[in-house]
Amino acid sequence: MRDLSKDASLLSLNTATVRKQWKLAEIIDGCVRHGFGGIGPWRDQVAELGLKESARRIRDAGLIVTGLCRGGMFTAADENGRKAAIENNLLAIDEAVELGAQCLVMVCGGLPPGSKDLEGARVQVFNGLSAILERARAAQIPIAIEPLHPMYAADRSVVNTLGQALDMCDLLGDGVGVVVDVYHVWWDPALASQIARAGRDNRILAFHVSDWLVPTRDLLLDRGMMGDGVIDLRGIRGMVEAAGYDGLIEVEIFSEEWWAKSGDEVLELCTEVLSGVP
Amino acid sequence: MRDLSKDASLLSLNTATVRKQWKLAEIIDGCVRHGFGGIGPWRDQVAELGLKESARRIRDAGLIVTGLCRGGMFTAADENGRKAAIENNLLAIDEAVELGAQCLVMVCGGLPPGSKDLEGARVQVFNGLSAILERARAAQIPIAIEPLHPMYAADRSVVNTLGQALDMCDLLGDGVGVVVDVYHVWWDPALASQIARAGRDNRILAFHVSDWLVPTRDLLLDRGMMGDGVIDLRGIRGMVEAAGYDGLIEVEIFSEEWWAKSGDEVLELCTEVLSGVP
């Protein structure tokens, strides 16, 4: 297992972690100041700074783009909605190319408004992924399906386990893989076997960390700083690395609590706790 | 599929649904008044009225006891804690006998305080179930493992999917089965296959309904009235009945919103909505 205490450059910062404190240009500077080796930007922040300017600044800072957040959201109530989603994903692929991103992260979409057809929504996601795959392959942008915690099945993603995401990968073939985000998958009884499976097929495209707090006061905005919750981060990272993953470790914390602190405080703590036990 | 519009007596009421409005004696009367055929009482409410008095009143009301809530909570930081949990579960079996309950519902327990050892907690649960099984079999009280939604893995139950619960059943043998609660399992990509598996092995001991609201504002106390959320209740009930389940349909809604209404209003609405589409 890699020793993070000797190399903070193994860390990447998902820009959502400090999105309320800083704009993208400040986040890039913060990453450099705190020794992060990578960044995982969100499209809205990139758009605000400008795509080319964002790419230039990230490149000049020497940061690896561990993933562009996010494509997906393929589910919609009608055909026009689904076509618009696909168009938007094709744009995201172009943006990922410009940024030199290692992958395009997919938050696949929940149930369409008014629908209770979970199986149908899963078919929509699969069809959406299929529709963009050729372009993604040609652009050499790997598509990274991120299974989301089952508590987001209704409104964010109907892809809810690593096994389900890998089943999709098997059907889709080359150019597609998964994001292992500990917050979403830590509870899964099949976690160890599915991480091993993902590794065998070279499907692990990104690894995201945060923590599950007890109690969790909000379904979306109460993720914890690594070490403050109950996730066995070291154990899961061990599985992921044993499965062959050698990419960066991306910190992604959505939290009103951490958004209320200074950006420098958050980044300093991230590097500090990840250099320790977790 | 059974036609609920013709037979409200196919419904059971989990007493948590109106626990803030009524004490157990009133809930029993309410069930009779609204035509429910069964009741699923909680142990604290039974204790308050008295075990023998509760049993007498429920029997006199002609209600089926679809399950006693709850046993479980096997996980603990030390051996004494685990022994105390097992003792408490043996008491619960005696109570279930007195009440003539069809099963004892198991909420198995989360991570012990301070622990991140999910696998270890799952072993503790298995050992706890093993320790009470002989007594449960002798008492003819089926043990009903209720897989809880993954968002409760840390603090309520480390048993989080139907497949995982059924794997435990396979190892434990006779006298043990599962509760299928739509709120906990609706998101599961393996739901259909695991319900079919549970049916083949005669493991479905109870069926609980409520709904998943969008947005869900609280992890614990924001369950929805059937029909107000996104769960395909009719679809899941169809699977459960096709798998051979012919027991009652138990309404279990934990909700500050519904606790703020009158008990009669809640029970009337339960029978009304379940006689319709869902």
Side-chain angles (χ1 to χ4, degrees), chain B residues 31-44:
Chain B
C31 284
V32 171
R33 203 159 52 243
H34 291 275
F36 282 69
I39 191 167
W42 280 66
R43 291 176 70 199
D44 62 325

Side-chain angles (χ1 to χ4, degrees), chain A residues 111 115-116 118 122 149-151 153-155 160-161 164 186-189 211-212 214-219 227 229-232, chain B residues 111 115-116 118 122 149-151 153-155 160-161 164 186-189 211-212 214-219 227 229-232:
Chain A
L111 289 167
S115 170
K116 301 185 182 196
L118 192 54
R122 285 167 172 161
H149 194 286
M151 71 184 175
D155 49 2
N160 305 108
T161 66
Q164 181 194 5
W186 73 276
W187 59 271
D188 188 349
D211 214 333
W212 181 278
V214 179
T216 290
R217 296 159 301 181
D218 185 271
L219 274 75
V230 299
I231 301 178
D232 178 13
Chain B
L111 289 167
S115 169
K116 301 186 182 195
L118 193 54
R122 285 167 172 160
H149 194 287
M151 71 184 175
D155 49 3
N160 304 107
T161 66
Q164 182 194 6
W186 73 276
W187 59 271
D188 189 348
D211 215 333
W212 181 278
V214 178
T216 290
R217 295 159 301 180
D218 185 271
L219 273 76
V230 299
I231 300 178
D232 178 12

Side-chain angles (χ1 to χ4, degrees), chain A residues 8 13 15 22 55 60 89 94 114 152 154-155 160 203 226 239 259 261 274:
Chain A
L13 181 74
T15 60
W22 287 337
D60 289 353
N89 275 276
D94 294 342
Y152 304 123
D155 49 2
N160 305 108
R203 299 284 195 193
M226 295 70 72
M239 294 179 203
W259 285 335
K261 317 246 183 207
L274 282 173

Side-chain angles (χ1 to χ4, degrees), chain A residues 64-269:
Chain A
I64 294 169
V65 178
T66 45
L68 177 62
C69 286
R70 60 179 199 226
M73 295 295 169
F74 291 110
T75 53
D78 59 32
E79 190 60 33
N80 282 342
R82 290 188 286 278
K83 277 186 184 163
I86 288 166
E87 288 304 315
N88 190 270
N89 275 276
L90 296 177
L91 280 180
I93 292 169
D94 294 342
E95 293 166 28
V97 169
E98 182 72 34
L99 291 163
Q102 292 186 328
C103 65
L104 176 60
V105 174
M106 290 286 157
V107 174
C108 293
L111 289 167
S115 170
K116 301 185 182 196
D117 182 6
L118 192 54
E119 197 53 46
R122 285 167 172 161
V123 170
Q124 288 187 19
V125 166
F126 184 82
N127 291 341
L129 290 166
S130 300
I132 65 163
L133 196 52
E134 190 181 346
R135 175 87 71 94
R137 283 178 186 145
Q140 296 189 291
I141 295 296
I143 295 299
I145 303 172
E146 182 167 11
L148 256 53
H149 194 286
M151 71 184 175
Y152 304 123
D155 49 2
R156 280 184 174 72
S157 179
V158 293
V159 181
N160 305 108
T161 66
L162 207 44
Q164 181 194 5
L166 290 168
D167 287 347
M168 284 185 165
C169 290
D170 286 346
L171 292 168
L172 291 165
D174 291 338
V176 59
V178 296
V179 179
V180 177
D181 182 318
V182 297
Y183 193 78
H184 296 303
V185 304
W186 73 276
W187 59 271
D188 188 349
L191 184 60
S193 60
Q194 294 299 331
I195 286 177
R197 170 187 173 194
R200 275 194 305 276
D201 300 340
N202 289 312
R203 299 284 195 193
I204 307 178
L205 298 176
F207 179 56
H208 292 183
V209 295
S210 61
D211 214 333
W212 181 278
L213 299 177
V214 179
T216 290
R217 296 159 301 181
D218 185 271
L219 274 75
L220 190 61
L221 303 179
D222 196 25
R223 295 197 194 183
M225 175 62 66
M226 295 70 72
D228 287 354
V230 299
I231 301 178
D232 178 13
L233 291 164
R234 197 175 170 79
I236 299 177
R237 183 159 68 84
M239 294 179 203
V240 167
E241 294 188 7
Y245 180 75
D246 61 1
L248 301 197
I249 294 142
E250 181 172 332
V251 176
E252 184 182 42
I253 305 173
F254 296 92
S255 161
E256 293 290 0
E257 185 183 335
W258 291 103
W259 285 335
K261 317 246 183 207
S262 87
D264 278 309
E265 185 182 344
V266 174
L267 265 60
E268 189 176 340
L269 197 54

Side-chain angles (χ1 to χ4, degrees), chain B residues 54-93:
Chain B
S54 298
R56 189 187 63 74
R57 286 189 185 230
I58 290 170
R59 204 165 46 235
D60 289 354
L63 295 169
I64 294 168
V65 178
T66 44
L68 176 62
C69 285
R70 60 181 197 220
M73 296 296 169
F74 291 110
T75 54
D78 59 33
E79 191 60 32
N80 282 342
R82 290 189 285 277
K83 277 187 184 162
I86 288 166
E87 288 304 315
N88 190 270
N89 275 275
L90 296 176
L91 281 181
I93 291 170

